[in-house]
């Protein structure tokens, strides 16, 4: 069983935990649609870097076909 050799001080414990804080995700506004999305991710409309990557209407048609 692992047992520490000596007690860790509050200072050292705090220094170790200093990098554990959560950060917020970086948001960006798409140039073509004005949609807010996470950086380096496709927007909900299917746009990435101002170009339409995924046609949303074809995706919904495929989902409807699989449900039937």
């Amino acid at each position: 069983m692992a047992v520490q050799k000596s007690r860790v001080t509050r200072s050292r414990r705090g220094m170790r935990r200093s990098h554990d804080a959560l950060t917020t995700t970086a948001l960006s506004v798409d140039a073509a649609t004005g949609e807010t999305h996470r950086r380096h991710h496709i927007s909900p409309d299917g746009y990435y870097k101002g170009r339409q990557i995924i046609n949303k209407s074809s995706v919904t048609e495929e989902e409807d076909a699989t449900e039937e």
Side-chain angles (χ1 to χ4, degrees), residues 14-36:
M15 285 189 278
R16 182 181 67 246
R17 292 178 181 175
S18 67
H19 302 288
D20 292 344
L22 297 176
T23 59
T24 59
T25 58
L27 296 178
S28 181
V29 177
D30 189 60
T33 62
E35 183 82 27
T36 303

Side-chain angles (χ1 to χ4, degrees), residues 48-62:
Y48 184 73
K49 290 188 179 179
R51 296 183 310 190
Q52 188 172 11
I53 304 299
I54 297 175
N55 191 355
K56 237 182 154 175
S57 61
S58 66
V59 172
T60 55
E61 290 173 2
E62 291 174 8

Side-chain angles (χ1 to χ4, degrees), residues 38-55:
R38 292 189 330 179
R39 297 287 301 215
H40 304 101
H41 285 77
I42 296 175
S43 69
D45 292 341
Y47 282 84
Y48 184 73
K49 290 188 179 179
R51 296 183 310 190
Q52 188 172 11
I53 304 299
I54 297 175
N55 191 355

